[in-house]
Structures are given as C-alpha cells and as structure tokens.
Amino acid sequence: LASRPEHDQMMARLGLSAGFNDTQVISAFRRAARRCHPDRFTELGARERALAEQRFIQFEEARDKLLGVSV
C-alpha cells in the first residue's frame, strides 16, 4: 500500500473504495475516530495515548485530503 498513490492510501486508511462521496468519507472518519479517539485511552500509559493520538491525526488527515479541505 505504501507504493500506491497518496489518494489510494487515504481511501484505504478510512476503509473506502472507489466511487465514494463526501457523506461516506465523513461516516468512515467517524467510525475510525471512535476506535482511536485519544479520550478513550486516558487510563492507559503515555505511550498508548500518544499512539492513539497519532492514529487519530492520520484519520483526520485522510478525511481532509479526501474532502479537499486545506488545513
């Protein structure tokens, strides 16, 4: 997957297939974000929280790029 174009990587990160629309991107992001939102890991150690936060940021980046939002 790392050798694929960035757009394909972002789609895979959110579990989307070709022909998606904005609503599907938002839904996929919300589903992914619920799994790794940093607030869910407050009882764990700093390393686990940092990993969850990093993954959450990757999901945000994928959502923004697929929606064409510039940050």
Side-chain angles (χ1 to χ4, degrees):
L1 189 61
S3 63
R4 303 285 302 179
E6 183 180 40
H7 187 265
D8 291 352
Q9 291 178 30
M10 297 301 152
M11 286 174 38
R13 187 171 290 159
L14 293 179
L16 295 168
S17 57
F20 62 87
N21 60 37
D22 289 356
T23 303
Q24 291 170 317
V25 171
I26 293 167
S27 178
F29 167 74
R30 287 179 179 161
R31 196 171 42 253
R34 277 194 299 267
R35 288 192 315 260
C36 69
H37 195 279
D39 291 346
R40 293 188 65 195
F41 298 91
T42 57
E43 300 297 319
L44 299 179
R47 181 178 183 275
E48 289 81 8
R49 285 193 311 270
L51 289 171
E53 185 173 345
Q54 179 183 16
R55 191 68 173 152
F56 185 76
I57 290 169
Q58 290 173 339
F59 288 140
E60 287 180 318
E61 178 183 284
R63 176 202 58 199
D64 292 347
K65 286 189 180 190
L66 291 173
L67 292 176
V69 176
S70 47
V71 179

